[in-house]
Amino acid sequence: MPDFLELYTRYRTVVDQIGINAILALSLAVCLRAGQLALAQAAFMGIGAYVAAITVVTLRWPLAAGTFVAIASAAAVGALLALPVERLRGVFLAIATIGFGEIVRIVAYNLKITGGGDGFNGIPPLLSTPWIYAALLAIGAIFFALRGSRFALAMQTTREDEAASQGVGIDTGRVRVTTLACAGAIAGTAGVLYAFTNFFLTPTDFAFGRMEQILVYCVIGGVTSPLGAVAGATLMTILPEAFRFLRDFREVTNGIVLLAVIVFAPGGIAGLWKR
Amino acid sequence: MEALRLEHVGVRYGGVAALEGVSLHVDAGEILGLIGPNGAGKTTLVNATTGFVPLNSGTIVIGDARLDGKRPFEIARLGVARTYQNVRLFGALTIRENLRAGAMRRGDLDDDAMRALLGQAGLLEADLDAAASSLAYGDQRRLEIARSLAGTPQILMLDEPAAGMNPVETKALGALVRAIAAQGIGVLLIEHDVALVRAVSDRVVVLNFGMVLATGAPDAVVRDPAVIEAYLGSAV
């Protein structure tokens, strides 16, 4: 037991990162499951993080209230974002949502209430590893409970063929709005956890670089598999740490793994265990 | 009893009139054959009725409900089901999931109901958990019909269901269409196989250049000189 505690103490940050990244990967997996290449998860995370920090630290709300408002805000922004991008698909949707992410980052950079480019300081460590994994488990349990539900089926048919889905009576517009709202809520949860375990927020924490990482987690895990997304996030968070001895070149391993998966296992980790 | 009525329906694609002043109706339990040369507007008529293309003029009514102006999913929920010229199953999903999706407007289906639907469509031996895309082409067409029936429609619009089928499969399809109509469902059958249309239809409508050229009993319509000239080119 002492060894475990020592190990945890040494790698606590990585352990927390794995949990938060897994939640972010699940947020994107929701969109991909409905066939939406909507790349706004980093922005949703930022909204969750800043709203939680502002309400709890600046406005001195209780943590639970701040968390609720932060997650609800990210979900509402997700639902609202679905409206202007309703007719966009594939790469056009991806670019539009990346653009939205840039807007969120630039707004955070220029607002006084977010701390601007200097960042938001002095966030107390109100949450820790158990909270992160409790949230991950809760989100995973919701995924599991919804597996096989009519809504899950509507998401799958929307991904497969949107016109045919409408032809059998599925309101694919509502599916898209609900999906982005859920993605917003999940990534917003990751943002809250990030804010209260990292003491400090800057707009670059939620920039395109993070969105790129989240997409890589899902590609490596298997684009429509929630379990694969979690596995991808875990692997790609651990790898750079395991190759720390490579110093500046350590992130090259991420690129190599990504290329290997695309070439040799296009179905990702999930595809491997389905074989 | 009249199930579906189109009144003076017009659809334009830019400057081209795809449908112009088309009026027709389908009764409950009736099979209405819809024939015409390529580009006559047959598929456009199905697309307009099911909300996939907007009307420029006219009205479409099912029972007491107007369909024109409604979105495809709303029209499907009002009881209009369709199949497509090119099969549009949810290929990566299982047969079970395809049937569940088809039944979405009325709730869920149990395995017995699914088996009954598959049996009716001639797919009794199909594995419910097999991917829809793993079926042979003719069976995919049958599954698409079964998926349409899963929603218990009032009207079923079949867009060239016999395309790619051999004579034996086509004969079985004819029996299936008759069985569907016998349940009280109005069937609009678009088909290039005139022999099939003659064999199963109660009435036939001929479209040409987006307009109704002839309407009547199948044998009378295919003997109509105007139809022979415009569509068939010679007597059948």
Side-chain angles (χ1 to χ4, degrees):
Chain A
M1 192 58 117
D3 289 346
F4 175 77
L5 277 176
E6 191 187 321
L7 209 64
Y8 169 70
T9 308
R10 187 192 290 180
Y11 293 109
R12 189 186 67 82
T13 310
V14 178
V15 172
D16 289 357
Q17 278 175 5
I18 290 171
I20 290 171
N21 289 342
I23 293 172
L24 287 168
L26 285 174
S27 168
L28 181 57
V30 171
C31 291
L32 295 177
R33 207 162 172 79
Q36 294 192 80
L37 189 57
L39 304 180
Q41 278 66 24
F44 297 148
M45 178 194 188
I47 290 165
Y50 276 117
V51 172
I54 290 164
T55 51
V56 174
V57 179
T58 310
L59 303 178
R60 299 187 181 283
W61 287 16
L63 176 64
T67 298
F68 176 78
V69 170
I71 294 171
S73 301
V77 170
L80 287 173
L81 176 63
L83 302 177
V85 300
E86 189 190 351
R87 292 182 183 278
L88 301 180
R89 304 288 181 274
V91 71
F92 298 104
L93 177 62
I95 289 169
T97 46
I98 287 170
F100 167 76
E102 279 300 284
I103 291 169
V104 170
R105 185 185 67 80
I106 292 165
V107 167
Y109 197 83
N110 286 286
L111 284 180
K112 199 176 252 181
I113 198 167
T114 59
D118 295 335
F120 194 113
N121 288 298
I123 304 170
L126 298 176
L127 299 174
S128 55
T129 311
W131 284 103
I132 293 171
Y133 283 88
L136 178 60
L137 274 177
I139 293 165
I142 292 169
F143 267 79
F144 189 78
L146 288 178
R147 196 179 50 132
S149 68
R150 292 175 69 194
F151 180 68
L153 180 61
M155 286 171 72
Q156 288 174 285
T157 64
T158 302
R159 181 188 72 226
E160 283 288 307
D161 188 330
E162 205 164 330
S165 297
Q166 292 191 29
V168 294
I170 293 169
D171 182 352
T172 56
R174 182 179 285 186
V175 170
R176 289 163 67 87
V177 170
T178 310
T179 301
L180 269 176
C182 291
I186 296 168
T189 303
V192 172
L193 294 162
Y194 182 83
F196 293 112
T197 50
N198 281 275
F199 316 108
F200 179 66
L201 302 175
T202 70
T204 50
D205 293 342
F206 314 108
F208 180 66
R210 183 176 293 276
M211 190 60 245
E212 191 186 3
Q213 288 173 345
I214 299 167
L215 182 59
V216 169
Y217 302 152
C218 286
V219 171
I220 287 178
V223 286
T224 62
S225 162
L227 264 180
V230 172
T234 305
L235 178 69
M236 299 311 282
T237 310
I238 290 172
L239 265 188
E241 299 304 320
F243 289 98
R244 201 168 262 280
F245 64 90
L246 293 175
R247 297 172 188 273
D248 290 347
F249 291 97
R250 67 195 169 111
E251 297 216 355
V252 169
T253 54
N254 287 15
I256 292 170
V257 170
L258 181 60
L259 277 174
V261 165
I262 288 169
V263 174
F264 299 111
I269 296 170
L272 292 176
W273 75 56
K274 276 180 191 164
R275 279 182 190 176
Chain B
M1 192 178 73
E2 201 172 276
L4 177 75
R5 172 169 285 278
L6 282 72
E7 292 276 8
H8 310 299
V9 166
V11 172
R12 299 187 77 83
Y13 295 125
V16 179
L19 292 176
E20 205 168 347
V22 173
S23 298
L24 58 83
H25 71 274
V26 184
D27 294 337
E30 179 190 35
I31 301 171
L32 179 69
L34 184 64
I35 60 174
N38 284 331
K42 304 182 297 293
T43 296
T44 297
L45 187 140
V46 175
N47 285 339
T49 306
T50 51
F52 285 95
V53 297
L55 302 193
N56 288 94
S57 58
T59 56
I60 304 177
V61 177
I62 182 168
D64 296 327
R66 288 276 292 267
L67 300 186
D68 43 292
K70 287 196 162 52
R71 291 175 289 179
F73 75 89
E74 294 171 317
I75 292 170
R77 289 176 185 180
L78 285 168
V80 180
R82 67 170 294 181
T83 64
Y84 300 84
Q85 207 168 5
N86 299 310
V87 178
R88 295 186 81 156
L89 287 171
F90 305 117
L93 306 189
T94 62
I95 292 171
R96 181 194 305 278
E97 287 166 332
N98 270 273
L99 293 175
R100 283 186 64 212
M104 197 72 92
R105 86 175 186 103
R106 65 164 172 136
D108 226 330
L109 287 177
D110 59 26
D111 278 11
D112 290 341
M114 289 188 202
R115 287 265 165 239
L117 279 168
L118 290 176
Q120 187 182 1
L123 292 169
L124 196 56
E125 301 302 315
D127 175 6
L128 281 171
D129 294 315
S133 59
S134 69
L135 292 174
Y137 181 76
D139 289 346
Q140 289 192 20
R141 284 214 170 269
R142 290 169 187 281
L143 177 58
E144 198 181 31
I145 294 171
R147 184 182 72 182
S148 303
L149 293 173
T152 56
Q154 294 179 59
I155 289 288
L156 175 60
M157 309 184 95
L158 300 171
D159 196 350
E160 296 191 27
M165 286 188 175
N166 62 38
V168 176
E169 289 173 327
T170 302
K171 194 175 174 190
L173 175 72
L176 170 60
V177 173
R178 276 195 295 267
I180 291 167
Q183 294 172 28
I185 298 169
V187 179
L188 182 83
L189 173 67
I190 292 180
E191 191 46 69
H192 280 299
D193 185 336
V194 177
L196 173 65
V197 174
R198 281 179 79 170
V200 303
S201 300
D202 299 305
R203 283 187 302 125
V204 171
V205 170
V206 184
L207 280 185
N208 194 29
F209 294 118
M211 292 184 283
V212 175
L213 183 67
T215 305
D219 289 338
V221 164
V222 295
R223 283 198 299 268
D224 186 324
V227 174
I228 293 168
E229 186 184 337
Y231 172 51
L232 303 166
S234 60
V236 285

